[in-house]
Amino acid sequence: MAVDEHTMTPPGYAEHKADHLKRLRRIEGQVRGIARMVDEDAYCIDVLTQVSAVTRALQAVSLGLLEEHVAHCVVDAARESDDAAAAKIAEASAAIARLVRS
């Protein structure tokens, strides 16, 4: 199992790793389907509908990962020290900002 390079602990999503991988494989299939639609000259709105579905699916994965990061990594850091907690909170805040901008 890979470990978090910052704390040398398993990632917060480790408990649900199989679920995340299953969702990501499903998304990967959806993206291949979109490419096939474009290759086959599908109607623009139909392609856009599928792009929207993939976007929502990726957002759901992102939110799940973020929730697990906060529940595990941030909480563990808060138990460690105030400085460690502040660093993990800043890291989570930056990740949230990236998600909001995307």
Side-chain angles (χ1 to χ4, degrees):
M1 173 187 309
V3 293
D4 178 341
E5 67 185 55
H6 301 289
T7 63
M8 301 305 293
T9 61
Y13 60 81
E15 187 175 326
H16 299 106
K17 181 178 179 177
D19 294 332
H20 291 305
L21 288 171
K22 183 179 177 181
R23 290 183 93 176
L24 289 167
R25 286 186 194 104
R26 191 176 315 129
I27 292 166
E28 182 180 20
Q30 287 177 286
V31 171
R32 281 193 306 272
I34 293 169
R36 191 170 36 258
M37 289 175 75
V38 171
D39 187 50
E40 296 171 357
D41 299 321
Y43 184 57
C44 301
I45 297 302
D46 293 340
V47 175
L48 289 170
T49 298
Q50 293 306 310
V51 169
S52 177
V54 168
T55 300
R56 286 191 310 273
L58 282 171
Q59 288 170 340
V61 170
S62 297
L63 290 174
L65 291 169
L66 180 61
E67 182 179 325
E68 289 171 337
H69 177 70
V70 170
H72 297 283
C73 302
V74 174
V75 169
D76 288 349
R79 290 180 181 136
E80 181 182 324
S81 71
D82 289 345
D83 289 341
K88 286 293 180 187
I89 290 170
E91 182 181 66
S93 294
I96 292 166
R98 287 190 302 274
L99 287 171
V100 171
R101 285 192 299 265
S102 65

